[in-house]
Amino acid sequence: MSRHRDRGLPPCPPCACERLPFGADAPWLAPLAGYSDLPFRLLCREYGAAVCVTEMVSAKGLAYFSPGTAELLRSLPEDQPLVVQLFGAEADFLAQAVTMLRAAGYRWFDLNMGCSVPKVLKQKAGAAMLGDPDNALAVARAMIAAAEPGHVGFKLRLGLDDNRPVWQDLALRLQDAGAGWLTLHPRTARQGFGGEARHEALARLAPQLSLPLLASGDLFSADDGLRVLRETGVSGVMYARGAMFDPTIFAAHRALVQGLPAPEPTPQRLRAVILRHVTLARRYCSRESALWKMRGVVPRYVRHLPGAKALRHGLCQCRDWPELMSLLDAFLPDALPQDVSPHAGAG
């Protein structure tokens, strides 16, 4: 382990859970490239995310200790259970990545077979793997062999396009290979994020599996998550864009599952979310990185409010924290009431 530390692979805090939580009351945070860093994961956990997945980590980048890989893997005891999402298309590199990560204390892994970003597709990774199911299975088996039983999941789409649907057959083959869980985003790679997610595919797949199936895609609100759970019979949901726009989606989800009303969105609660994210970013990121991230994050949180465009323009010119806080004070001037906490609804 000392060799990995010397080369920059950060150790993972111990994870006490022997099984990942799945269920209607255990919403997951999806891997979000450029977004689901340590501060954002901690924020989502405080509002009720049961499991968080890292940003995509290149298996080759890990093997060659590429700059930036260590930052993607930074974690804390309160950031558990944590799933590391890997991408790549070569079995040897993926097995090596899992072995290295296990030596540093990481326990849970996921292979991305759904990303349709061109730079990932050019490496024959992500959704491109759906075009070669045999290789996808070879990579999957290599990862499974290098990990503890049941500790590797796989995220997939329906196929490269409508003419090449592979999701059903590939899911069953991954189950037979020893996958611990599956996540299905029911769109094709060609769709990207266009059109609508075909949740009926989840309803068709769920009864065929004996392992947990997570739903992803078009879950913009807790109501969306509960509806998909009810209509498809999946084991749980994974929030992506819904969480990017509103991390309190996890608190709302848990409340609805319990038959309680979701916390009311208010300017005060929104201010609490933003201030808490600022605090976490300043604590766990470099000054430059934290400020840059918050300049991009805040407009997402306030996009539905009047004046959001002007705030975004002001943030683009922002050069330091006092200026950022001044902009926030002007946009959300209400003082934070004593009974509104950034941790409210985290149960």
Side-chain angles (χ1 to χ4, degrees):
M1 186 183 299
S2 62
R3 178 175 66 87
H4 297 307
R5 289 183 180 180
D6 292 343
R7 294 293 298 277
L9 186 59
C12 183
C15 178
C17 63
E18 291 303 318
R19 299 181 63 183
L20 291 176
F22 295 96
D25 60 346
W28 286 36
L29 171 66
L32 298 165
Y35 214 88
S36 51
D37 58 3
L38 177 59
F40 186 67
R41 296 197 306 266
L42 293 174
L43 180 67
C44 290
R45 290 184 190 277
E46 290 178 1
Y47 281 103
V51 178
C52 292
V53 188
T54 68
E55 301 177 62
M56 287 194 307
V57 176
S58 165
K60 278 190 176 180
L62 192 62
Y64 293 119
F65 299 93
S66 295
T69 299
E71 184 65 23
L72 298 176
L73 294 168
R74 285 183 62 212
S75 189
L76 296 170
E78 53 267 41
D79 185 34
Q80 300 297 323
L82 178 67
V83 176
V84 177
Q85 186 177 76
L86 297 166
F87 77 95
E90 297 170 71
D92 290 346
F93 278 107
L94 268 301
Q96 182 182 352
V98 171
T99 300
M100 291 172 62
L101 288 164
R102 286 191 66 190
Y106 299 85
R107 299 187 63 196
W108 309 96
F109 310 98
D110 182 79
L111 178 65
N112 186 297
M113 296 186 189
C115 181
S116 56
V117 173
K119 68 178 181 179
V120 174
L121 297 178
K122 287 180 181 178
Q123 302 177 51
K124 299 183 180 179
M129 299 187 75
L130 302 176
D132 187 354
D134 289 338
N135 181 63
L137 262 293
V139 172
R141 293 190 180 103
M143 290 180 66
I144 290 167
E148 298 174 73
H151 283 230
V152 182
F154 301 90
K155 185 175 183 181
L156 34 148
R157 287 185 177 234
L158 299 177
L160 291 176
D161 53 43
D162 287 333
N163 296 322
R164 291 171 285 181
V166 300
W167 55 280
Q168 204 162 6
D169 179 66
L170 182 55
L172 294 173
R173 294 173 73 184
L174 288 168
Q175 175 174 262
D176 292 342
W181 69 94
L182 298 176
T183 305
L184 178 63
H185 182 140
R187 281 184 170 92
T188 64
R190 176 167 290 181
Q191 278 183 279
F193 293 97
E196 294 184 357
R198 306 170 200 177
H199 293 135
E200 64 273 11
L202 292 159
R204 289 175 56 189
L205 183 59
Q208 302 180 56
L209 300 176
S210 58
L211 48 68
L213 175 64
L214 294 173
S216 179
D218 289 0
L219 305 180
F220 297 112
S221 69
D223 286 327
D224 291 334
L226 270 289
R227 174 179 51 79
V228 168
L229 282 166
R230 183 175 61 251
E231 294 178 357
T232 66
V234 294
S235 307
V237 295
M238 176 183 282
Y239 288 106
R241 287 179 288 173
M244 288 171 60
F245 295 138
D246 180 12
T248 69
I249 195 170
F250 299 100
H253 179 104
R254 287 178 177 262
L256 292 178
V257 168
Q258 296 170 21
L260 302 173
E264 187 71 21
T266 64
Q268 293 81 14
R269 191 172 293 277
L270 176 59
R271 183 180 173 89
V273 172
I274 294 172
L275 293 181
R276 182 58 177 163
H277 200 162
V278 167
T279 297
L280 292 169
R282 296 185 71 175
R283 184 177 300 166
Y284 297 114
C285 299
S286 68
R287 179 191 176 281
E288 295 77 9
S289 173
L291 186 62
W292 181 83
K293 285 177 181 290
M294 294 311 301
R295 283 170 47 177
V297 164
V298 172
R300 291 183 184 273
Y301 291 160
V302 303
R303 73 198 184 286
H304 58 290
L305 298 179
K309 184 175 181 180
L311 176 62
R312 183 170 64 248
H313 178 74
L315 289 169
C316 288
Q317 314 302 317
C318 179
R319 293 295 179 266
D320 55 38
W321 289 112
E323 188 178 354
L324 184 141
M325 296 308 298
S326 177
L327 288 168
L328 289 178
D329 288 340
F331 188 78
L332 293 169
D334 296 331
L336 191 62
Q338 292 299 312
D339 62 342
V340 177
S341 163
H343 312 281

